[in-house]
Structure formats: structure tokens, C-alpha cells
Amino acid sequence: MNYIQSYILEHKNRFINELIELLKIPSISADSAYKNDVLKTADAIKISLENAGCDTVEICKTDGYPVVYGEKIIDKNLPTILVYGHYDVQPPDPINLWNSPPFEPVIKKTEKHPEGAIFARGACDDKGQMYMHVKAMEFMTSTNQLPCNVKFMIEGEEEVGSSNLATFVKNNQEKLKNDVILISDTGMIANDVPSITTGLRGLSYVEVEVTGPNRDLHSGLYGGAVANPINILTKMIASLHDENNHITIPGFYDNVEELSKEERAEMAKAPFSLESYKKALDIDSVYGETGYTTNERNSIRPTLDVNGIWGGYTGEGAKTVIASKAYAKISMRLVPNQDWENITKLFKNHFENIAPKGVKVKVTPHHGGQGYVTPIDSIGFKAASKAYQDTFGKTPIPQRSGGSIPIVALFEQELKSKTILMGFGLDSDAIHSPNEHFGVWNYLKGIETIPLFYKYFTELS
Amino acid sequence: MNYIQSYILEHKNRFINELIELLKIPSISADSAYKNDVLKTADAIKISLENAGCDTVEICKTDGYPVVYGEKIIDKNLPTILVYGHYDVQPPDPINLWNSPPFEPVIKKTEKHPEGAIFARGACDDKGQMYMHVKAMEFMTSTNQLPCNVKFMIEGEEEVGSSNLATFVKNNQEKLKNDVILISDTGMIANDVPSITTGLRGLSYVEVEVTGPNRDLHSGLYGGAVANPINILTKMIASLHDENNHITIPGFYDNVEELSKEERAEMAKAPFSLESYKKALDIDSVYGETGYTTNERNSIRPTLDVNGIWGGYTGEGAKTVIASKAYAKISMRLVPNQDWENITKLFKNHFENIAPKGVKVKVTPHHGGQGYVTPIDSIGFKAASKAYQDTFGKTPIPQRSGGSIPIVALFEQELKSKTILMGFGLDSDAIHSPNEHFGVWNYLKGIETIPLFYKYFTELS
């Protein structure tokens, strides 16, 4: 690839400003109050793909938010890369912990991003990482260097489980036909330790509701005499882990792949400082399943976490009430071979079974997805590795991520192609958290690396 | 007392309308947003006491909401009754469960109140019950039948722990000097089973905060590897009760008075149907401490209930987050001899001790108060009993309540007089709950019974 560095240097400010405009739209898919903003973002993506040189761009309706599809087919005999990304973002809550408003992007320097980082909800996940691909495309088409065919599939429901994308993929297998799927929606170890994600965890996300008495009660008159749904909910949730932090749901571990000693030893070679990790989070100790290291706990082991809990009086001051209902949102991260639908069923059955008399329990599955592992001997992986070597000067480390992109397993099943996960964010970029950001250096490095993947993938194919 | 029934019949509509006007003011002491409304209510109480015939009425400043004090001293040689009540109300949350707005009173018939009940926050607790005393006073002064001296002390912070009233009482012992304290802020068994409350539970109310990582984290990248404050909070709360629903805080039961078999047998004679109780609450089973009946669990036994819990994402849809913090409001109802300040300390120490590594715990005491038991051989109790016999045609049953009026123990300590708890509400009146109401029949019956207490108390003194 010629001129790429000079092209980036020349257009750097425009690249940043275009991303900032995109980040200003609060495309929160989880909250229906933002519906118009999510739709507006889809329109903006369509225009950006047209400007980047796609021949055809469509906004494809689904039962939820639309999929933006774009393509440029230069020669049917050449390989086709399908780029997947998403234009929706996580809710910004808790909003009061943001140092600047989540949808008013600002660039600030940080310890890990001395050249500055863009602070905004979606900066890294995934507007920033998705937009790297749009700008890489722009470079390749405007300099006549696009070496193969390209298809873009940018969805608006990734943060709420991609349930309509599954249908879209199933119904458009011919249109989406490709030789490799390329996604930037993960991270890398550090700016000087490039890595490629080779595994993702699956996910089962449920909401539970515990109902006690048919109305809120005075805690003096009824306290101690009826089941308090909040107390019961805490007991039920607490019982989901044993004293070794193993999950107690019967059958939960049945299909969990146990890694060999050799594989675990290989994993342990990745650079990691427990002290820095604790310091960055301001915790005096890590916590988790007995018998596994921190990096194992958050990648090769399944987990169960409460993501939200609420019930009773949560306002200022005191209210002596026994709430009628208590709720929690609970997610389980799953490893390859654990079927998310089966795990959801196991959870539901178990949670209903452990409910004591005096309460009623309702379990509502939200969404889920399978885990994924990609081989490291594929053309795609090799092409990605060579691209990183060119731009980072180092061979990237293959690494399993603890996160989930539920749709990836479905892509392989429906489209029969492998996915390459080229992530340029850092774990410390606070995705899903207040003050999410994405390094300007990382953003531009992504735009520089992606065209090289196209080049090497075409050459190796 | 002469003419009382005809006086009530004649002025019934005005009595109801005056209470309705009072109920329209949202005097929520727990929420500072309602400060002006709370103060406005104090003004309204002042005017109503003046209209009822008090010679002196003052709005007495405190460090919080004012105490409205009124008096009519007719003869220093006659006994003095001190009436206590409160003009503040509980927050109306959860607001969406009210069938009519909490501060727009409506009268509707119910199964237990065939003559209609006034639905509004504070209808029973305590505006309605407090206002009975104002109207009883009006009757006695306007018909020249006030048999003794009377003092009114109506406060605005009962629902948030009466902390400034304690100082007010300590600083005004001479002004508040009395022979008996009369309060209507409890209930009775049923409209055809009058009862007088002879015991109240104490209270310790605390808020707990569990902090894990210094920011909200992505549950995929960090889940299973760091202590999740919500999971930890559920474990900590769950551990506060053992398998017999005994409270596990060391020393918690040290001073709990164990009632004799005979006393428990006496208690068990009060009319009670477990089936009706369960049906009214729509529960398939009661729940509580092993070895005690429902009526014992909510009166003579101490309890620990979570009144509110919150943390993480509680909005629509799903957010895969590990919250940085989780919170709960927890109250303990205490029995006589348990010192609330000591229990609060025991809770705080224990809760801090059981926190695992990886989280920080903060316990903030909100407020509290001692339990109280009143003797049934006092002049006050006898006068009350005779008053009920006259108006209900039945001897009232002495009954211990599970609720708390923390200030009552302090009254006895500071003012050296006993308190008589003449409550006219029903447990089903939903105080502290959505759709709080107070029977019109009960309201008028209270106004009819109170002057008789004055008469018999003066005669017996």
C-alpha cells in the first residue's frame, strides 16, 4: 500500500471531526426514547459509506433498527471481505460520573493516550472502531488501491443482542457471501503489545422479578412476618455462587472445555501485572473462581454477574417499607461449547426452583449468543498478523477476550466463513462505563492497518 | 359528654373537607424538594389549632422542620393531657401503583370501609388521626365541655426519625409538663374489635454502600475477575439471616426479652385468621423466624428488613456492566430492652467485618429509637378503655404493635409521663404503601371517642 501514512497525515483532522459528528448522536438502542437518534445514525452511516466509495448502499429494514449495507464489487474472481460493525451505543448511565457529557465529544490527553483520546459514549465501542473501516475504504478507493471486493454490514442493535440481525443474515446469505468477516469491536493488550482476539465468550442475559405481598407494606406492621422480596432476592442471588465462587446452577459447567496445562501456560505468557491491574481499578484484591488466574477468569471461564438490581425505596432519606417486588438483571458469560439457550433454560429452571414459599418468581430471558474461537492458522489470521507487523513492527499475540459479540458464532454458521477480530481499543478505554474514550493514535493506527489486511488477504487467497 | 354524636352529624362534611384540604399538601419530610409544602402544612396546623380553641399556638423552630405547639390551660389544678401527632407524611413511591394521585384525596368505598374511606398519602398516618384530636378539641371548646388542660405538640419529622423533636422536648420540659400523653398513630384490630396499643418496637435504620472497582466496568472484560459490588452486597445481606431466619449479627439478641408461655398464650387469644391474612396479601405462605407465630414475629420479635436496594443498570433493556457501587437501605425493628444505638453499632461492626477483600463498605446510620411498653393498670389506660366501651360497646383488647414511634420512649424519659396509644386505623389501610386510606367511619369514631378519654381521665385522676 502506497501513500497511506501521508494520506492519514493529510486528512487526520477531517477523520477526527467526522467521527466526532457521529458521536454526537445518542444512538442508545436499549432505550426507546432515543429511537429517532438511532435512526438518524443509520442515515449518517449510509452517507459515509457512499462518500467512502461504495457503489451501492442501502438501509435495510428489520423488525428493529435497520442494518446499513454497502458494497463495492470490483471483480467477482477476487476475494470478498465482509466488514461488520455497529452504530448503536450503550446507555451512558450513571451519567453523573462522566467528566464531560457523553454525547459532547472532547479530546483529552491521558497517561495511556499521550497524543489524546476522544471521550464520548461509543468512541471506542463501536463507532470509532467501525469508522476506521469506513476511512480505510475511503483511502483505498480514492487512491485506486482497493485490492478485492468489500461488503459492509453495520447494525444498530448490537448492544441489545442483535436479535434482528440474525434474521437479516439468514435471509440474505447470497448478498452477504464472503471469504472472511472482519470486525473491529474488541481490544488489544497495549499500544506497544498488539494482539488479535481469537476467542469470545457467549452470553445469556436475563431479568428476574421476585414478588412477595401484592402491595408495598409497612415494615413495622409486616416486617419479619412475610417474605420480603428484596431479602429473598439477595438470598437467591447469593446462592448462585458457592464458597469457591463456582456457579451452583446444576449442569452449568457440563460442556465447559477445560484447557490443558500447556494451553494455560501459553496464556500465562501474555504480559500482565496484577499490581497495575489492581491499582488501575483501585481495589485491594481481585476476586473470582478458586483455581484460576485473573486472565483465565475473564476469558476461558464462564461467569455470572448481576448487572443491575432494584427494589423498594431508593430515594433520599428513609422509608420503612417492605416492597412488593424486587428485580435484578443478571448476565452469564459463557465459553465455547456452552449453548446459551440451554444455559438460559438451566438458569430459569434453577432460579424458579430455589424460590422459597411466600414469593413468586419470574425469569425473562433478554438475549444471548454463543461463544466463538477462531483458528490461528487461517489465511485471515495470517493476513491480519502481517498487517500488524507492518504497522506496529511487532507480531501480534493471539488472545481470548472475555467479551461477547453474540452474532459472530451465527455468522460462521450461516455464512460459512471465519471472522477476524482486529481490535484497536484498550481495556482501559472504559467501554460500557462513564468516560469511554478511544485513543486518537489507535484510531489512526487502525485506519493504517486495515488496508494492509485487505492487501495480504488478497495476496494469500 | 353531651351532644357529641349530634355535633359530629352536623359538622361531618366540614370535618371531612378540612382533612381533605390538609391531605392535598405533599408534606414529605424525607425529600427536601418538598420543603415548602412541609412548612405550609405547619402553618395550616397552627390555624386549625387556633380555630379549635387553643389560647396560644406557636410555630416552634428547630434545626429541621418546626413543631407546632398549642395549648389551652383552664385550671392549673386540673390534669393536663399532651396530644402528640405529626403533620409530615411518607414519600408516595412507587407512585405508579396508586389508583388515584396521592395528594388528590378521593373518597371510595371498600370491603372494610363500606361507608367510604379517604384515599391519600397521610390519610391515616398521621394527618387523619392527628386531625381527629383537633376536631375533638373543637367540639369540647365550642360546647364548653373541655374538662381539663390540653397541650398539642404536632411535629414534622416523624417519618424521618424525629431527631429534632428530641432536642425540642429536652429543652421544653416545663412547657410540655403533663399528666398523660395521648397519641393516635397506631391501629386497631378491626372496626368491631377495638384495641389499644400497649407496645411499640424500636428501630435502627441504616444505609449501606459497597464499592468495588473505581468505575463501572464492562462485564465481559472484567466479569468473574473482580468483586462485583452487587453480587457481594447480596451475599452480605443474605448472610444476615440464618436458615431459621434468626438474625446473625453477634450480640443482636442479647437483651431481647423472652415472653413467658403464659404471656404468649394470652397474645394468641387475639382474633386472627392466617388464611385471611395470606389472602389479603396474595401470598401462598407466611415467612419468618422459626418457632414464632405471625403475630409474634411482627410484635415481640426483632426483625431485619431491606427497605430498598439499588445498583448498576436499572433502565429498560440490557447493559452488560459491573457497577462500581451498590447500595441498600436496611431497617431493624427492635423490642423493648434492645438499645437502638447499640444495635446500630453492632450492625455497623458486623457488616464491615463480613466484607470480603476487593470491596470497601460504608455504613451510614439514618435514625432510630427505642421500643416501648405501657402498663395496662394506669389511669390513662383505664380512661381509654372506658372511652372505647362507650363508643364501640366493647372492651378494647390490649395489643403490642410491630410498628415504631421512636419518640415515645424519649417522652417517658424526659417528661416522666406515660403514653396512651389510641389508634383508629386498620392494618389494611396501607400506611406507607400506595393507596393509603382512612375510613370515614374510623375518623368520626375517633372524634367521638377522644373527648370521652378526656372526661374519664379527669374523673379518675
Side-chain angles (χ1 to χ4, degrees):
Chain A
M1 291 278 162
N2 299 316
Y3 328 119
I4 186 152
Q5 286 169 336
S6 59
Y7 189 90
I8 290 171
L9 203 61
E10 190 184 338
H11 297 281
K12 176 181 159 170
N13 288 339
R14 179 173 59 80
F15 287 178
I16 293 168
N17 289 334
E18 285 179 15
L19 175 55
I20 283 176
E21 287 309 307
L22 200 58
L23 291 169
K24 286 182 183 171
I25 319 174
S27 51
I28 306 164
S29 51
D31 188 341
S32 52
Y34 293 90
K35 187 176 173 183
N36 286 338
D37 294 301
V38 183
L39 295 173
K40 197 174 145 190
T41 312
D43 292 336
I45 300 299
K46 177 174 185 277
I47 293 166
S48 73
L49 285 173
E50 286 166 347
N51 292 343
C54 283
D55 291 332
T56 316
V57 187
E58 305 164 67
I59 292 193
C60 307
K61 283 192 180 165
T62 72
D63 285 347
Y65 289 117
V67 174
V68 186
Y69 175 82
E71 64 175 33
K72 189 172 180 74
I73 308 298
I74 55 171
D75 181 343
K76 292 204 167 168
N77 296 317
L78 284 170
T80 300
I81 294 171
L82 174 66
V83 175
Y84 163 81
H86 62 95
Y87 62 83
D88 63 324
V89 300
Q90 280 275 318
D93 317 62
I95 199 108
N96 59 319
L97 294 182
W98 284 78
N99 297 326
S100 56
F103 298 106
E104 296 175 21
V106 289
I107 297 178
K108 282 184 292 191
K109 290 180 181 177
T110 73
E111 200 186 314
K112 293 204 173 165
H113 297 296
E115 296 178 41
I118 305 171
F119 282 78
R121 171 55 84 228
C124 181
D125 178 17
D126 181 47
K127 282 176 178 166
Q129 296 217 77
M130 174 267 291
Y131 207 66
M132 297 181 312
H133 290 270
V134 181
K135 294 297 99 181
M137 173 76 173
E138 174 197 309
F139 162 71
M140 291 184 285
T141 57
S142 65
T143 59
N144 287 313
Q145 294 187 87
L146 183 66
C148 60
N149 304 311
V150 57
K151 295 175 177 177
F152 284 88
M153 175 172 63
I154 314 297
E155 72 150 322
E157 299 187 313
E158 198 272 344
E159 301 294 4
V160 290
S162 303
S163 52
N164 292 300
L165 185 69
T167 311
F168 178 80
V169 170
K170 283 176 191 168
N171 292 343
N172 290 280
Q173 293 183 330
E174 188 53 36
K175 179 185 214 154
L176 299 172
K177 208 177 161 194
N178 66 77
D179 297 287
V180 72
I181 298 165
L182 184 60
I183 304 179
S184 295
D185 195 17
T186 51
M188 58 180 188
I189 295 173
N191 283 359
D192 56 354
V193 188
S195 58
I196 297 173
T197 301
T198 56
L200 291 167
R201 289 198 281 189
L203 179 72
S204 166
Y205 199 112
V206 299
E207 186 163 320
V208 302
E209 176 190 295
V210 175
T211 305
N214 54 0
R215 59 189 166 90
D216 286 8
L217 299 175
H218 184 291
S219 73
L221 304 183
Y222 292 91
V226 298
N228 175 331
I230 305 177
N231 286 70
I232 298 296
L233 179 61
T234 66
K235 266 194 190 298
M236 292 175 71
I237 291 173
S239 79
L240 297 175
H241 289 93
D242 69 13
E243 66 279 12
N244 292 311
N245 282 311
H246 290 301
I247 294 157
T248 57
I249 300 166
F252 186 84
Y253 290 100
D254 278 1
N255 298 308
V256 170
E257 168 199 40
E258 288 287 342
L259 266 68
S260 67
K261 272 189 187 170
E262 292 69 29
E263 285 172 296
R264 292 175 69 183
E266 193 59 36
M267 273 190 73
K269 287 181 186 164
F272 178 73
S273 157
L274 193 60
E275 281 316 304
S276 309
Y277 186 85
K278 290 193 290 185
K279 198 178 155 204
L281 300 175
D282 190 21
I283 50 178
D284 61 1
S285 178
V286 291
Y287 187 92
E289 194 181 1
T290 304
Y292 296 91
T293 66
T294 292
N295 275 336
E296 289 170 343
R297 286 169 177 168
N298 68 17
S299 64
I300 61 166
R301 298 298 297 170
T303 61
L304 182 151
D305 273 293
V306 183
N307 302 112
I309 193 166
W310 68 105
Y313 184 66
T314 59
E316 195 189 333
K319 184 164 150 61
T320 48
V321 69
I322 307 277
S324 170
K325 287 175 186 285
Y327 306 83
K329 293 181 195 268
I330 297 174
S331 69
M332 288 159 281
R333 297 283 170 171
L334 310 174
V335 294
N337 299 335
Q338 281 186 298
D339 177 72
W340 79 269
E341 289 182 289
N342 181 45
I343 291 291
T344 304
K345 260 184 226 149
L346 291 177
F347 177 91
K348 186 174 158 69
N349 290 343
H350 178 65
F351 208 73
E352 288 167 353
N353 277 341
I354 61 174
K357 277 187 184 177
V359 299
K360 297 176 198 82
V361 166
K362 197 167 93 182
V363 178
T364 309
H366 261 307
H367 66 269
Q370 310 294 30
Y372 184 72
V373 179
T374 196
I376 61 170
D377 57 1
S378 67
I379 293 173
F381 189 86
K382 286 176 188 161
S385 186
K386 282 171 74 76
Y388 279 90
Q389 284 172 51
D390 282 7
T391 54
F392 285 80
K394 285 184 182 179
T395 305
I397 296 172
Q399 195 202 27
R400 289 247 206 138
S401 164
S404 305
I405 311 177
I407 206 70
V408 170
L410 183 120
F411 288 164
E412 175 157 341
Q413 185 190 313
E414 297 295 328
L415 304 176
K416 316 294 177 204
S417 53
K418 294 285 175 194
T419 292
I420 300 299
L421 298 157
M422 288 173 69
F424 294 90
L426 302 183
D427 275 5
S428 54
D429 285 349
I431 67 169
H432 291 208
S433 301
N435 305 310
E436 175 177 351
H437 55 281
F438 188 34
V440 170
W441 184 89
N442 302 64
Y443 176 54
L444 300 175
K445 206 67 175 175
I447 300 171
E448 184 186 343
T449 309
I450 290 162
L452 291 162
F453 173 81
Y454 280 63
K455 177 186 166 203
Y456 291 123
F457 186 77
T458 307
E459 287 176 6
L460 292 170
S461 286
Chain B
M1 292 278 161
N2 299 315
Y3 328 119
I4 184 150
Q5 286 168 338
S6 59
Y7 189 90
I8 290 172
L9 203 61
E10 190 184 339
H11 297 281
K12 178 181 159 172
N13 289 338
R14 178 172 57 82
F15 287 178
I16 293 168
N17 290 334
E18 286 178 14
L19 175 56
I20 282 177
E21 287 309 307
L22 200 58
L23 291 168
K24 286 182 183 170
I25 320 174
S27 51
I28 306 164
S29 50
D31 189 341
S32 52
Y34 294 89
K35 186 175 175 185
N36 286 338
D37 294 300
V38 183
L39 295 173
K40 199 174 144 190
T41 311
D43 291 337
I45 299 301
K46 177 173 184 280
I47 293 166
S48 72
L49 285 173
E50 286 164 351
N51 293 342
C54 283
D55 292 332
T56 315
V57 187
E58 306 164 66
I59 292 193
C60 306
K61 283 192 180 167
T62 72
D63 285 346
Y65 288 118
V67 174
V68 185
Y69 176 82
E71 65 175 32
K72 188 173 181 74
I73 309 299
I74 55 170
D75 182 343
K76 291 204 169 167
N77 296 318
L78 285 170
T80 300
I81 295 171
L82 174 66
V83 175
Y84 163 81
H86 63 94
Y87 62 83
D88 63 324
V89 300
Q90 280 276 317
D93 318 61
I95 199 108
N96 59 319
L97 295 182
W98 284 77
N99 297 326
S100 56
F103 299 105
E104 296 174 21
V106 289
I107 297 178
K108 282 183 293 190
K109 290 180 182 176
T110 73
E111 201 186 316
K112 295 205 172 167
H113 297 294
E115 297 179 40
I118 305 171
F119 282 78
R121 169 57 83 229
C124 181
D125 177 18
D126 182 45
K127 282 177 177 165
Q129 296 217 76
M130 175 267 290
Y131 208 66
M132 296 181 313
H133 290 269
V134 180
K135 293 298 100 180
M137 174 77 173
E138 174 197 308
F139 162 72
M140 291 184 284
T141 58
S142 65
T143 59
N144 287 313
Q145 295 187 85
L146 183 66
C148 60
N149 305 309
V150 58
K151 295 175 176 176
F152 284 88
M153 174 172 64
I154 314 297
E155 71 149 323
E157 300 187 311
E158 199 273 343
E159 300 295 2
V160 291
S162 303
S163 53
N164 293 299
L165 186 68
T167 312
F168 178 80
V169 170
K170 284 176 192 168
N171 293 342
N172 291 279
Q173 292 183 331
E174 188 52 37
K175 179 185 215 154
L176 299 172
K177 209 176 162 196
N178 66 78
D179 297 287
V180 71
I181 299 166
L182 183 59
I183 304 179
S184 295
D185 196 17
T186 51
M188 59 181 186
I189 294 174
N191 283 0
D192 57 353
V193 188
S195 57
I196 297 173
T197 301
T198 55
L200 292 166
R201 288 198 282 192
L203 180 72
S204 165
Y205 198 111
V206 299
E207 185 163 322
V208 301
E209 175 190 295
V210 175
T211 304
N214 54 1
R215 59 189 165 90
D216 285 7
L217 299 174
H218 184 292
S219 73
L221 304 183
Y222 292 91
V226 297
N228 175 330
I230 305 178
N231 286 71
I232 298 297
L233 179 62
T234 65
K235 266 193 189 299
M236 292 174 71
I237 291 173
S239 79
L240 297 176
H241 289 95
D242 69 13
E243 67 280 12
N244 292 312
N245 282 310
H246 290 301
I247 294 157
T248 57
I249 299 167
F252 186 83
Y253 290 100
D254 278 0
N255 299 309
V256 170
E257 169 200 36
E258 288 287 342
L259 266 67
S260 67
K261 272 189 186 169
E262 292 69 28
E263 285 171 296
R264 292 175 67 183
E266 194 58 37
M267 274 190 70
K269 287 181 186 164
F272 178 73
S273 156
L274 193 61
E275 281 317 305
S276 310
Y277 186 86
K278 290 194 290 186
K279 199 178 154 203
L281 301 174
D282 191 20
I283 51 178
D284 61 1
S285 177
V286 292
Y287 187 92
E289 194 180 1
T290 304
Y292 295 91
T293 66
T294 293
N295 276 336
E296 290 171 341
R297 286 168 177 167
N298 67 18
S299 64
I300 61 165
R301 296 299 296 170
T303 61
L304 182 151
D305 272 294
V306 183
N307 302 112
I309 193 165
W310 69 103
Y313 183 67
T314 59
E316 195 188 333
K319 183 163 150 64
T320 47
V321 69
I322 307 278
S324 169
K325 286 174 187 286
Y327 306 84
K329 292 180 196 271
I330 297 174
S331 69
M332 288 158 282
R333 297 282 169 172
L334 310 175
V335 294
N337 300 335
Q338 280 186 299
D339 177 73
W340 79 269
E341 290 183 286
N342 180 44
I343 291 290
T344 304
K345 261 184 224 148
L346 292 177
F347 178 92
K348 186 173 158 72
N349 290 343
H350 179 65
F351 207 73
E352 287 167 354
N353 278 342
I354 61 174
K357 278 187 183 176
V359 300
K360 297 175 198 85
V361 166
K362 197 168 94 183
V363 178
T364 309
H366 261 306
H367 66 269
Q370 311 295 29
Y372 184 72
V373 178
T374 196
I376 60 171
D377 57 0
S378 67
I379 292 173
F381 188 87
K382 286 176 188 162
S385 187
K386 281 171 75 72
Y388 279 90
Q389 284 172 51
D390 281 7
T391 54
F392 285 79
K394 285 185 181 178
T395 305
I397 296 173
Q399 194 201 27
R400 289 245 209 140
S401 164
S404 305
I405 311 177
I407 206 71
V408 170
L410 183 119
F411 289 163
E412 175 157 338
Q413 185 190 314
E414 299 294 328
L415 304 176
K416 317 292 178 208
S417 54
K418 294 285 174 194
T419 292
I420 300 299
L421 298 156
M422 288 173 68
F424 295 89
L426 301 182
D427 276 5
S428 54
D429 285 349
I431 66 169
H432 292 211
S433 300
N435 305 310
E436 174 177 351
H437 55 281
F438 188 34
V440 170
W441 183 89
N442 302 66
Y443 177 54
L444 301 175
K445 206 66 175 174
I447 299 171
E448 185 186 343
T449 309
I450 290 163
L452 291 162
F453 173 82
Y454 280 62
K455 177 187 165 204
Y456 292 122
F457 186 77
T458 308
E459 286 176 8
L460 293 169
S461 286

